[in-house]
């Protein structure tokens, strides 16, 4: 039977959990810890790759450095890009027109310096936040400096030293001037304490005394005749040098001694780059081998023999635990100080939902249906994984270890493995889906169809209980006393126990339904059941399996920004709580627990499992990854400090972060510059995944997430006081913000105090002016009203007079119309009848000639009288024009004349509105005569009358398709009133008449009246 649980803040229960595709398996670590190997297994440090194409137009021979905020910078001729956490920012604005052809930029002593071909100097930030250079090249610079590329430089207390292949230039801080040291074929310049040395290809070592004094050759045993190719600072008094003969030596300014780690710890090969690590020590790149990191005393901490690190172009280190390595096609960040090291293909195994177990002092890994052992390795090297069984020989799906026993399960059953790697059969059970030890000698195997229990007695394994029905593909999760808690899939959880030689599986009722999976965790004597849906959590007593209240545990779990799925406790009392994309730790403190939700955030891995091994060793596995936790997790790292790197305002993007990286305390922006952009960074690269942040602009606003660019833009801010606060996404609301920037947007000029005072003065003046204006306006208005009354009175009198005249004129017209009708119906008709009778009589052959002559005279007299009467009638206005337009009158008169034998069509294209009544009367009479002539004489089949007008004239035309006539012969006919009358009326209205006709083709009469032409009629009287 298992020993009683050990008490801690919560009762300590070692437990192990892991997830695999389609199955779960449970591992129990050994309860008795035997001696561990001196060197524990270690994986590879986290390495993040940044392809050069992602950074920008960067060639292979790039330079690495850091900007004033500690951000890593990639440099080349005209290129300077910095990594702002997860996004690259180009600090040289190629669209500004400024040329910045520099090869290297470094921050030395709090200031930025640059080096380029034939130039060196200071680098500062312009008002819009872009880099700009200030050359320190003096007029006395010798000719050799104009062609020398100054790619390397360093500083001492005396000044900054820029060096290239042709010599060294020293910018002296005190004298503010350059000193020049020409040294053809110089290979390396380096400081040792306050002294500066230069090596060249001639094998001579020279010291630069400073102050403009000439360089002097120094003889040092071990350096004479050799060129120094590379140098790196070991500490304040020593440097590490790479010599042309391949030696690696220490130099303190006086003596040289071989570096002890050269032969024992560094592989043979050409050293291509060396860089000092921020926490002390050095990183060395060896061509075609890899990168190696050493402490200051020569102990090898890391040996990274990786293919991607065999061609190193440049390296840089700006903070402890992080090394930057530039290769041929990418830039890599080696997070060698991480609390996690990874296991996988480089160690010799494929990670597929791996599980980890301790078997004595050996670490066993089950992955991809194979069993491996993680072996200790030489100092600094990642641990190799030795294959013990594989899919082709003996598939291993599940493993359990305890004490001296290690059992594996597969599709056929359970096998035992001895220390030599030999397997023997324990028992057959189909499709083993879980193995777990109940005590040092008893193990339970859960199969798809049945569950069996085995006990080790007298040197062999035997079944110790009758088998019971299985639970399908159900992974075992935790051990408590003599029972197992089993996740059975969906919303099913069971408790499996071996009591009195019998196995029993008892389901545990849950407080929810419709969950895809229910997870089991144990803390002390409490079992935590958690669904996938936030809020579905149930805490049980581990002994009775009954629900219990545990408010402190609930409160602790609810502090996590992620929904906790499973939780376990290690030997140190640290709680490991898993969620969908990582692990949250709760480290016990005197005042409770300290939470860390960011160190073990695995955004690229889903549903991790924690394996707590004896001795405080912890592993984390997921679908395609396996990590070993190293270091002291009881001291979570502080949150990233976060730095504000840029604050730009206005349309011109004025920068408000000064060259030292500081921001003014009292920030106030004019209203016109209310377009603000804030950029910040985490201030460190010591993370596997970039930290996520949230922000708010005022304390009354909700927190909002910040995107990966870490750029906040606030266009068109209203005037008022603001307080920008930035904190980590998963930080407690009670924690202090990482960044706080109070600022004010001033009101526009028209809402300032001075403006309001001016408004009051203007308003008072306006009121006074308005009162005065109203008074004056009232006086003017009264005067105008009096004048208007007089004018309206005169106008009314004139109107009444005109109205009387128009009334009289209307009566006259009415009388004229009546008389015209009477004359037409009586006198003219009588005269016409008399003429017809005379014509008939005169045509009789019996009438004597003398009588005929007399009758002819009478006829002429009657014809003349009729003509006079007709003329008088035509001068009277037609009643057809009363209350009608000219077009309507034409239609009516055509209807009167039409006898039905000849159709008459009236076409009005545009009604004339600017004609006086007399002109309309004459046009109507002209149309009447033309239509009558066409009906009587033309024998036409169709007559078309058209009327159209524009701004200048009115055109009337009458066209028939009759027999026509010769126009010239018709004009002199005496007594032919029709055509003569037409022309007479046309002259009166100043119109042009055109008659177009010829025998057989019809006749067209066209009258054109200018609108501006006055009629010769007297508009007020009859004629």
């Amino acid at each position: 039977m298992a020993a009683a649980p050990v008490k801690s803040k919560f009762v300590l229960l070692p437990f192990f959990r892991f997830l695999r595709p389609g199955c779960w398996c449970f591992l129990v670590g050994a309860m008795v810890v035997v001696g561990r190997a001196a060197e524990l297994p270690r994986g590879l440090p986290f390495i993040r790759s940044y392809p050069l194409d992602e950074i920008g137009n960067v060639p292979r021979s790039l330079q690495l450095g850091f900007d004033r905020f500690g951000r890593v910078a990639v440099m080349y001729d005209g290129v300077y890009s910095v990594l702002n956490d997860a996004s690259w920012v180009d600090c040289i604005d190629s669209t500004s027109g400024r040329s910045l052809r520099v090869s290297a930029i470094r921050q030395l002593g709090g200031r930025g310096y640059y080096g380029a071909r034939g130039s060196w100097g200071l680098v500062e930030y312009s008002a819009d936040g872009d880099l700009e250079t200030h050359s320190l090249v003096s007029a006395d610079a010798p000719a050799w400096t104009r062609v020398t590329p100054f790619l390397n430089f360093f500083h001492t207390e005396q000044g900054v030293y820029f060096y290239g292949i042709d010599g060294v230039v020293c910018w002296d801080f005190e004298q503010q001037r350059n000193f020049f040291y020409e040294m053809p074929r110089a290979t390396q310049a380096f400081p040792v304490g306050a002294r500066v040395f230069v090596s060249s290809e001639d094998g001579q070592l020279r010291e630069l005394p400073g102050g403009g004094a000439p360089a002097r050759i120094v003889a040092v045993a071990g350096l004479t005749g050799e060129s120094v190719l590379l140098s790196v600072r070991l500490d304040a008094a020593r440097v590490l040098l790479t010599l042309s003969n391949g030696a690696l030596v220490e130099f303190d300014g006086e003596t040289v001694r071989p570096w002890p780690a050269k032969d024992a710890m560094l592989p043979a090969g050409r050293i291509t780059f060396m860089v000092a690590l921020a926490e002390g020590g050095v990183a060395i790149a060896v061509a075609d081998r890899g990168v190696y990191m050493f402490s200051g005393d020569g102990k090898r901490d890391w040996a990274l023999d990786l293919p991607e690190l065999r061609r190193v172009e440049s390296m840089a280190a700006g903070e402890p635990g992080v090394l930057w390595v530039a290769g041929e096609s990418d830039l890599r960040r080696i997070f060698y100080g991480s609390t996690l090291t990874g296991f996988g293909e480089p160690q010799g195994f494929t990670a597929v939902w791996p599980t980890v177990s301790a078997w004595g002092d050996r670490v066993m890994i089950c992955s991809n249906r194979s069993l491996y052992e993680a072996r200790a390795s030489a100092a600094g090297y990642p641990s190799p994984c030795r294959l013990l069984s594989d899919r082709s020989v003996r598939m291993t799906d599940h493993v359990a270890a305890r004490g001296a026993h290690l059992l594996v399960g597969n599709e056929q059953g359970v096998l035992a493995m001895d220390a030599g790697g030999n397997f023997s059969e324990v028992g057959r059970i189909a499709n083993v889906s879980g193995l777990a030890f109940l005590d040092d000698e008893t193990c339970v195997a859960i199969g798809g169809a049945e569950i069996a229990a085995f006990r080790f007695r007298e040197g062999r394994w035997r079944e110790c209980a009758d088998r019971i029905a299985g639970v399908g593909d159900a992974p075992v999760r935790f051990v408590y006393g003599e029972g197992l808690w089993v996740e059975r899939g969906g919303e099913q959880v069971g408790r499996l126990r071996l009591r009195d030689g019998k196995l029993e599986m008892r389901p545990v009722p849950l407080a929810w339904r419709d969950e895809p999976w229910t997870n089991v965790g144990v803390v002390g004597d409490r079992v935590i059941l958690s669904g996938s849906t936030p809020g579905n959590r149930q805490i049980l007593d581990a002994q009775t399996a009954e629900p219990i209240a545990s408010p402190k545990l609930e409160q602790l779990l609810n502090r996590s920004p992620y929904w906790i799925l499973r939780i376990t406790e290690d030997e140190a009392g640290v709680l490991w709580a898993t969620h969908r994309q990582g692990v949250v730790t709760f480290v016990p403190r005197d005042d409770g627990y300290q939470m860390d939700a960011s160190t073990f955030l695995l955004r690229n891995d889903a549903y991790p499992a924690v394996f707590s091994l004896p001795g405080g060793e912890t592993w984390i596995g997921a679908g395609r990854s396996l990590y070993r936790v190293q270091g002291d997790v009881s001291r979570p790292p502080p949150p990233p400090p976060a730095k504000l790197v840029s604050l730009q305002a206005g349309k011109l993007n004025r920068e408000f972060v000064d060259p030292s990286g500081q921001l003014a305390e009292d920030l106030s922006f004019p209203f016109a510059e209310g377009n603000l952009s804030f950029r910040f960074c985490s201030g460190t690269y010591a993370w596997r995944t970039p930290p996520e942040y949230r922000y708010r602009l005022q304390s009354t606003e909700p927190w909002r997430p910040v995107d990966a660019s870490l750029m906040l833009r606030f266009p068109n801010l209203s005037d008022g006081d603001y307080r920008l606060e930035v904190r980590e996404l998963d930080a407690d609301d009670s924690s202090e913000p990482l960044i706080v920037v109070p600022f004010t947007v001033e009101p526009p000029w028209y809402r300032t105090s001075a403006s309001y005072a001016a408004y009051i003065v203007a308003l008072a003046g306006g009121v006074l002016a308005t009162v005065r204006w109203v008074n004056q306006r009232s006086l003017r208005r009264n005067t105008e009203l009096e004048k208007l009354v007089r004018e309206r009175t005169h106008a009314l009198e004139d109107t009444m007079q005109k109205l009387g005249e128009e009334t009289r004129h209307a009566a006259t017209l009415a009388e004229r119309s009546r008389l015209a009708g009477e004359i037409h119906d009586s006198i003219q008709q009588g005269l016409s009848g008399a003429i017809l009778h005379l014509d008939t009589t005169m045509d009789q052959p019996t009438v004597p000639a003398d009588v005929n002559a007399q009758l002819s005279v009478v006829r002429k007299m009657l014809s003349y009288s009729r003509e006079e009467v007709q003329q008088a009638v035509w001068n009277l206005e037609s009643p057809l024009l009363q209350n009608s337009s000219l077009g309507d009158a034409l239609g009516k008169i055509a209807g009167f004349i039409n006898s039905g034998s000849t159709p008459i069509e009236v076409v009005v294209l545009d009604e004339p509105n600017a004609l006086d009544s007399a002109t309309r009367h004459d046009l109507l009479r002209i149309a009447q005569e033309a239509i009558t002539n066409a009906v009587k004489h033309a024998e036409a089949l169709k007559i078309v009358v058209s009327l159209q007008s524009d701004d200048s004239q009115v055109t009337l035309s009458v066209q028939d398709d009759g027999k026509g006539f010769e126009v010239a012969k018709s004009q002199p006919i005496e007594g032919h009133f029709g055509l003569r009358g037409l022309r007479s009326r046309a002259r009166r209205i100043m119109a042009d008449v055109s008659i177009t006709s010829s025998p057989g083709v019809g006749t067209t009469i066209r009258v054109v009246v200018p609108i501006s032409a006055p009629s010769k009629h007297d508009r007020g009287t009859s004629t």
Side-chain angles (χ1 to χ4, degrees):
M1 303 298 290
V6 179
K7 296 289 184 178
S8 63
K9 279 187 176 288
F10 296 106
V11 177
L12 176 64
L13 289 174
F15 57 91
F16 317 95
R17 57 196 186 277
F18 45 90
L19 176 67
R20 299 191 58 184
C23 69
W24 289 84
C25 51
F26 175 78
L27 301 176
V28 181
M31 298 298 291
V32 179
V33 181
V34 297
R36 305 291 292 177
E39 185 72 24
L40 294 174
R42 69 185 312 193
L44 283 170
F46 174 82
I47 301 177
R48 168 72 161 89
S49 176
Y50 303 88
L52 297 186
D53 294 340
E54 175 185 317
I55 300 173
N57 186 22
V58 181
R60 294 180 178 179
S61 55
L62 54 84
Q63 295 275 328
L64 293 178
F66 299 93
D67 73 350
R68 55 179 173 162
F69 300 105
R71 297 179 296 180
V72 68
V74 174
M75 298 166 283
Y76 192 68
D77 189 15
V79 176
Y80 191 82
S81 296
V82 298
L83 179 60
N84 197 76
D85 280 20
S87 60
W88 289 94
V89 180
D90 190 357
C91 295
I92 298 178
D93 185 5
S94 59
T95 63
S96 65
R98 290 194 294 263
S99 177
L100 193 64
R101 312 302 295 183
V102 300
S103 300
I105 298 175
R106 288 183 176 83
Q107 299 294 320
L108 303 176
R111 301 200 66 177
Y113 295 88
Y114 80 90
R117 179 177 293 275
S119 181
W120 60 91
L122 294 168
V123 172
E124 295 180 350
Y125 286 84
S126 63
D128 56 4
D130 292 327
L131 287 174
E132 59 184 15
T133 59
H134 299 280
S135 176
L136 295 177
V137 179
S138 54
D140 61 343
W144 63 267
T145 63
R146 301 171 189 168
V147 296
T148 300
F150 296 97
L151 303 181
N152 300 289
F153 39 96
F154 57 87
H155 80 293
T156 65
E157 294 180 355
Q158 181 178 358
V160 180
Y161 292 81
F162 304 86
Y163 68 94
I165 193 171
D166 295 317
V168 180
V169 176
C170 173
W171 171 255
D172 190 279
F173 290 149
E174 182 178 354
Q175 300 187 40
Q176 291 291 292
R177 56 161 298 183
N178 292 310
F179 294 108
F180 304 98
Y181 303 93
E182 184 177 7
M183 296 180 186
R185 314 307 297 175
T187 59
Q188 191 75 195
F190 54 90
V192 180
R195 303 168 65 185
V196 176
F197 298 89
V198 182
S199 177
S200 57
E201 290 186 359
D202 60 6
Q204 300 290 337
L205 183 67
R206 296 173 175 85
E207 182 178 359
L208 306 183
R216 61 183 183 87
I217 297 177
V218 294
V220 178
L223 295 182
T224 303
E226 300 293 339
S227 299
V228 177
L229 303 181
L230 298 171
S231 65
V232 65
R233 181 179 183 271
L234 289 177
D235 53 40
R238 296 180 303 152
V239 294
L240 184 64
L241 305 178
T242 300
L243 305 183
S244 55
N245 62 1
L248 196 61
V249 299
E250 294 179 12
F251 178 50
D252 60 6
E254 299 294 339
T255 60
V256 169
R257 68 183 186 91
W259 196 45
K262 171 62 172 67
D263 297 326
M265 297 290 185
L266 196 66
R270 180 175 59 89
I271 298 175
T272 59
F273 210 94
M274 299 192 302
V275 66
L277 300 176
E279 68 272 29
V282 61
I284 300 175
V286 179
D288 300 323
R289 296 303 299 268
V291 174
Y292 306 86
M293 284 172 264
F294 299 86
S295 62
D297 57 3
K299 177 185 176 182
R300 185 173 59 200
D301 293 328
W302 284 100
L304 303 177
D305 291 342
L306 301 175
E308 58 268 28
L309 300 179
R310 292 175 181 173
R311 295 286 189 273
V312 175
E313 300 286 343
S314 180
M315 293 195 300
E319 63 178 305
V322 180
L323 175 66
W324 296 89
V325 179
E328 293 182 330
S329 60
D330 56 11
L331 173 65
R332 296 181 183 271
R333 175 168 60 94
I334 303 177
F335 189 12
Y336 64 88
S338 172
T339 54
L340 290 181
T341 58
F343 285 76
E345 296 291 347
Q347 284 93 339
F349 86 102
T350 301
V352 178
W353 293 110
T355 61
V356 183
S357 178
W359 187 31
D361 61 349
R362 302 167 69 179
V363 176
M364 315 303 290
I365 301 173
C366 183
S367 176
N368 198 27
R369 309 195 74 182
S370 300
L371 184 64
Y372 302 87
E373 179 185 2
R375 308 291 297 273
S377 61
Y381 281 91
S383 300
C385 294
R386 182 168 68 96
L387 179 65
L388 301 177
S389 70
D390 59 22
R391 301 175 64 178
S392 62
V393 178
R394 188 181 300 276
M395 291 183 292
T396 303
D397 295 316
H398 309 280
V399 60
R402 187 154 176 176
H405 303 295
L406 185 142
L407 302 183
V408 298
N410 55 30
E411 295 176 352
Q412 286 84 31
V414 181
L415 304 172
M417 190 185 82
D418 60 22
N422 302 311
F423 290 89
S424 61
E425 184 177 295
V426 172
R428 289 188 172 273
I429 179 170
N431 299 322
V432 175
S433 60
L435 285 174
F437 278 92
L438 297 179
D439 55 40
D440 289 349
E441 307 296 336
T442 306
C443 181
V444 174
I446 301 178
E450 54 187 354
I451 301 174
F454 301 94
R455 181 167 290 149
F456 190 79
R457 287 288 184 269
E458 299 176 355
R460 57 176 296 186
W461 288 93
R462 295 183 177 90
E463 288 198 46
C464 60
D466 294 336
R467 298 188 180 190
I468 62 175
V471 293
D473 186 15
V476 180
R477 289 310 305 168
F478 296 101
V479 178
Y480 184 82
E482 59 183 21
L484 303 177
W485 291 85
V486 182
E487 294 178 2
R488 301 176 56 183
E491 52 193 32
Q492 301 182 65
V493 173
R495 188 184 185 196
L496 177 63
R497 292 191 295 178
L498 177 62
R499 302 181 66 181
D500 300 328
K502 294 182 179 181
L503 286 170
E504 63 177 23
M505 173 70 76
R506 178 173 299 178
V508 177
L510 301 178
W512 55 80
R513 299 181 61 84
D514 301 326
E515 278 284 7
W517 197 272
T518 299
N519 310 280
V520 179
V522 174
V523 174
D525 56 358
R526 275 151 286 189
V527 176
I528 299 96
L529 307 181
S530 301
S532 300
T533 304
N536 287 345
R537 179 182 291 139
Q538 189 172 345
I539 301 178
L540 309 177
D541 184 277
Q543 292 288 352
T544 64
E546 295 295 329
I548 60 174
S550 185
K552 290 186 177 181
L553 182 57
E554 285 276 8
Q555 184 179 9
L556 179 66
L557 297 180
N558 289 335
R559 286 176 54 192
S560 169
Y562 310 98
W563 175 247
I564 299 302
L565 299 177
R566 299 183 183 91
I567 185 168
T568 186
E569 185 177 14
D570 66 12
E571 293 178 351
V574 177
L575 303 183
W576 299 78
T578 65
H579 54 88
R580 292 179 185 270
Q581 289 187 306
V583 180
V584 177
T585 60
F586 297 92
V587 179
R589 293 285 186 263
D590 293 338
D591 55 349
Y593 283 85
Q594 180 178 350
M595 183 183 70
D596 179 10
S598 59
T599 299
F600 302 105
L601 191 60
L602 310 171
R603 292 196 179 99
N604 296 326
D605 300 303
Y607 298 102
V610 175
F611 310 103
S612 295
L613 307 186
E617 190 171 348
T618 304
W619 295 64
I620 299 175
R624 293 288 180 177
S625 58
L626 177 64
Y627 305 98
R628 176 182 175 270
V629 179
Q630 61 184 30
D632 186 6
V633 298
S634 64
R635 295 183 179 180
K643 298 178 180 178
L644 184 67
V645 299
S646 176
L647 196 173
Q648 295 182 338
K651 297 181 179 179
L652 299 179
N653 294 329
R654 289 200 303 132
E655 180 61 60
F656 284 84
V657 176
D658 62 27
S660 65
Q662 300 300 315
L663 195 63
E665 293 185 1
D666 298 325
L667 283 175
S668 184
F669 303 97
F671 185 79
E673 294 185 352
N675 299 318
L676 302 184
S677 297
F678 296 82
R679 187 190 293 276
F680 60 93
C681 66
S682 64
T684 179
Y685 295 104
W687 35 255
R688 291 183 310 280
T689 56
E692 293 182 335
Y693 299 92
R694 51 180 174 158
Y695 78 95
R696 65 182 181 185
L697 197 55
Q698 291 177 329
S699 59
T700 57
E701 293 183 353
W703 291 94
R704 297 181 176 89
V706 182
D707 62 27
S709 68
L710 301 187
M711 172 74 83
L712 298 175
R713 293 181 174 88
F714 304 104
N716 303 320
L717 285 175
S718 302
D719 57 291
D721 295 329
Y722 295 89
R723 177 183 168 91
L724 175 65
E725 297 178 344
V726 178
R727 63 164 42 132
E728 280 192 288
L729 185 65
D730 54 5
D732 294 334
D733 290 339
S734 60
S735 62
E736 290 295 325
L738 301 175
I739 295 177
V740 177
V741 183
F743 63 93
T744 300
V745 177
E746 299 173 356
W749 63 267
Y750 51 84
R751 287 212 303 267
T752 60
S753 300
S755 298
Y756 287 133
Y759 296 156
I760 294 174
V761 173
L763 180 61
V767 170
L768 294 176
T770 301
V771 171
R772 183 177 180 182
W773 175 78
V774 168
N775 291 334
Q776 293 178 351
R777 185 174 181 274
S778 298
L779 294 175
R780 288 196 303 269
R781 183 64 175 168
N782 292 336
T783 303
E784 291 174 356
L785 286 175
E786 293 174 357
K787 180 180 179 181
L788 181 61
V789 169
R790 291 194 299 270
E791 291 175 352
R792 292 293 175 87
T793 301
H794 294 318
L796 182 59
E797 293 174 352
D798 294 341
T799 300
M800 295 299 294
Q801 183 178 358
K802 290 180 181 179
L803 181 61
E805 292 177 356
E806 289 179 0
T807 301
R808 290 192 298 274
H809 180 62
T812 301
L813 291 178
E815 182 62 20
R816 289 171 62 186
S817 296
R818 186 187 68 77
L819 290 175
E822 292 294 335
I823 292 171
H824 181 273
D825 293 339
S826 59
I827 300 175
Q828 190 174 5
Q829 295 297 330
L831 293 175
S832 296
I835 291 173
L836 289 175
H837 281 291
L838 286 174
D839 289 340
T840 303
T841 303
M842 292 173 65
D843 290 339
Q844 296 294 324
T846 60
V847 178
D850 55 345
V851 175
N852 200 348
Q854 292 297 322
L855 291 175
S856 176
V857 173
V858 173
R859 183 188 183 284
K860 288 182 179 180
M861 292 178 65
L862 290 174
S863 178
Y864 177 78
S865 298
R866 187 188 66 174
E867 201 171 300
E868 288 296 324
V869 171
Q870 186 178 16
Q871 183 67 38
V873 171
W874 275 47
N875 285 335
L876 296 178
E877 185 174 358
S878 172
L880 296 177
L881 290 171
Q882 293 183 5
N883 301 321
S884 297
S885 65
L886 180 59
D888 293 339
L890 289 174
K892 292 177 182 179
I893 203 169
F896 294 156
I897 298 174
N898 189 7
S899 63
S901 60
T902 303
I904 302 174
E905 180 182 359
V906 178
V907 179
V908 180
L909 299 179
D910 193 1
E911 181 70 40
N913 296 319
L915 297 177
D916 56 59
S917 60
T919 302
R920 292 189 299 138
H921 171 75
D922 285 332
L923 285 176
L924 181 62
R925 292 303 184 191
I926 291 172
Q928 178 181 354
E929 180 63 24
I931 295 171
T932 301
N933 290 340
V935 171
K936 290 182 178 180
H937 308 295
E939 300 178 3
L941 298 178
K942 182 178 181 182
I943 301 173
V944 178
V945 180
S946 64
L947 178 67
Q948 60 182 0
S949 68
D950 54 28
D951 295 338
S952 60
Q953 64 184 20
V954 177
T955 303
L956 171 69
S957 66
V958 179
Q959 181 179 4
D960 66 69
D961 57 356
K963 61 184 180 180
F965 62 94
E966 293 183 5
V967 178
K969 294 182 178 182
S970 67
Q971 291 179 353
I973 298 176
E974 292 294 334
H976 198 293
F977 179 75
L979 296 180
R980 182 165 54 86
L982 290 177
R983 290 188 175 91
S984 176
R985 287 185 180 277
R987 283 194 297 271
R988 282 200 298 271
I989 62 176
M990 307 298 290
D992 294 330
V993 179
S994 64
I995 301 174
T996 305
S997 180
S998 60
V1001 296
T1003 303
T1004 300
I1005 299 175
R1006 187 169 181 269
V1007 180
V1008 179
V1009 182
I1011 290 179
S1012 60
S1015 171
K1016 292 182 180 181
H1017 287 281
D1018 181 4
R1019 307 296 185 200
T1021 61
S1022 62
T1023 57

